Amino acid sequence: MSHLLEVKNLGKTYRPRKAWPWSQKSVAIEPISFHIDAGETLAVMGETGSGKSTLAKIIAGVDNPSSGELWLNGQKLHNQHYQQRCNNIRMIFQDSENSLNTHLTLRKQLEEPLKFNTDLTAQERNEKVDIALRRVGMLTEHGEFYPHMLSSGQKQRVCIARAIILEPQIVVADEALVGLDPSVRAQIINLMLDLQQDMGISYILVTHSPQIVKHIADKILILYRGKMIVFDKTDIVLSDDQQPYVHQLLHDHLNKQIKFKSDKAKKIAD
């Protein structure tokens, strides 16, 4: 049985811009292999600098690997074949504020992927934009709005609409929920789950939050200094029978949040 996405010995190294040709390269990701199936959510976790965002960008085609291969539905993904990647794998960035063009209406921004990757007529593109807006819980009239007219939650909905408008098989979300208020974050998570059920999308979710992972991820991949130290089903990874670093990453985070809340309540009481 073939998997939806297979990552085979994928690695990434960088050479500092001002370095000499013989200078040692910096390793962002050591060769790793894993897979994801249709309709699954894979959470990618790790401390800052572990290689999470680098991995997300390589899968989405924003960056190229130094080694290894990506296979989608049994076909190799080539770095230069942008349309193949764009039609099947889309990305939601962390900062919805800066990922939207302040000078263009939402309709024009949502129409761009359709212009570059399809042969649809202008009327057909408009219809696709309307469908995408409704899918993310917005009105078709919002298409004439500019980003500054929206709340942070609405901007993230537009970014999701842009990601799904080509009906991709995989959506890569790089810390897409981190800047949202808890109530808005819950709404966006529910929206993503609804879209997954309706469209059969697979998610690759880069996150620091064990709470989010616990509720929506089928599998967890943990990176440590560019090395993959864990790749398994969520319930297995979240069990207590884990190596110290994994336990600290998953459980100390929760304890810190509980302590912060209690300290905050104490400060308010004082």
Side-chain angles (χ1 to χ4, degrees):
M1 178 180 174
S2 62
H3 302 289
L4 173 62
L5 178 72
E6 292 184 82
V7 176
K8 300 180 179 180
N9 297 315
L10 194 75
K12 181 66 177 180
T13 58
Y14 293 99
R15 190 186 298 278
R17 291 183 180 180
K18 297 182 180 180
W20 295 101
W22 57 82
S23 299
Q24 188 174 0
K25 294 181 179 180
S26 173
V27 178
I29 301 176
E30 295 195 8
I32 62 174
S33 300
F34 63 90
H35 63 267
I36 182 172
D37 294 322
E40 281 189 337
T41 296
L42 170 66
V44 180
M45 304 183 72
E47 61 188 7
T48 302
S50 61
K52 304 186 304 298
S53 291
T54 300
L55 176 61
K57 289 175 182 176
I58 291 174
I59 293 173
V62 178
D63 199 356
N64 293 326
S66 302
S67 61
E69 299 173 342
L70 291 168
W71 291 73
L72 183 71
N73 293 319
Q75 294 185 331
K76 185 178 178 180
L77 288 174
H78 298 281
N79 297 333
Q80 290 75 28
H81 196 166
Y82 298 111
Q83 191 171 44
Q84 178 194 26
R85 189 75 62 98
C86 285
N87 282 329
N88 292 290
I89 304 176
R90 304 288 292 170
M91 191 167 189
I92 306 171
F93 294 95
Q94 176 178 339
D95 190 355
S96 61
E97 193 79 34
N98 292 324
S99 64
L100 294 173
N101 190 326
T102 58
H103 303 293
L104 295 178
T105 64
L106 305 182
R107 181 171 298 279
K108 287 184 178 179
Q109 296 188 60
L110 292 176
E111 192 181 14
E112 282 184 347
L114 299 171
K115 279 185 175 180
F116 292 124
N117 297 285
T118 72
D119 297 321
L120 298 175
T121 64
Q123 181 179 349
E124 290 170 333
R125 291 197 300 267
N126 266 325
E127 291 172 357
K128 283 277 191 181
V129 170
D130 289 343
I131 291 171
L133 285 169
R134 288 196 294 267
R135 271 179 167 165
V136 298
M138 298 187 73
L139 303 173
T140 55
E141 288 81 358
H142 280 120
E144 313 313 317
F145 284 32
Y146 289 86
H148 73 271
M149 302 166 70
L150 305 177
S151 67
S152 59
Q154 288 176 320
K155 289 176 185 176
Q156 197 59 281
R157 287 176 184 268
V158 173
C159 291
I160 293 173
R162 184 172 57 187
I164 66 167
I165 199 162
L166 292 173
E167 300 186 2
Q169 298 181 68
I170 299 171
V171 170
V172 181
D174 186 8
E175 294 284 8
L177 306 170
V178 71
L180 302 174
D181 292 333
S183 59
V184 177
R185 187 184 304 126
Q187 294 172 17
I188 297 299
I189 290 172
N190 288 333
L191 170 62
M192 292 175 68
L193 291 173
D194 289 341
L195 291 171
Q196 186 174 50
Q197 185 173 3
D198 295 341
M199 302 177 67
I201 296 171
S202 295
Y203 290 117
I204 297 176
L205 180 66
V206 176
T207 180
H208 283 96
S209 173
Q211 299 99 320
I212 293 174
V213 168
K214 182 178 180 181
H215 286 97
I216 70 174
D218 299 290
K219 296 174 182 173
I220 297 176
L221 186 157
I222 297 180
L223 292 171
Y224 178 69
R225 297 182 180 179
K227 297 180 181 179
M228 185 178 76
I229 60 172
V230 169
F231 172 65
D232 215 327
K233 293 181 180 179
T234 299
D235 56 347
I236 295 174
V237 179
L238 290 179
S239 68
D240 289 332
D241 187 23
Q242 289 291 345
Q243 55 185 288
Y245 172 75
V246 176
H247 192 276
Q248 181 182 3
L249 180 70
L250 297 173
H251 298 283
D252 282 11
H253 180 89
L254 295 173
N255 294 333
K256 286 178 183 177
Q257 284 206 332
I258 293 169
K259 185 178 185 301
F260 170 77
K261 290 178 181 178
S262 62
D263 289 348
K264 185 177 180 182
K266 183 179 178 181
K267 185 177 181 181
I268 293 172
D270 292 343

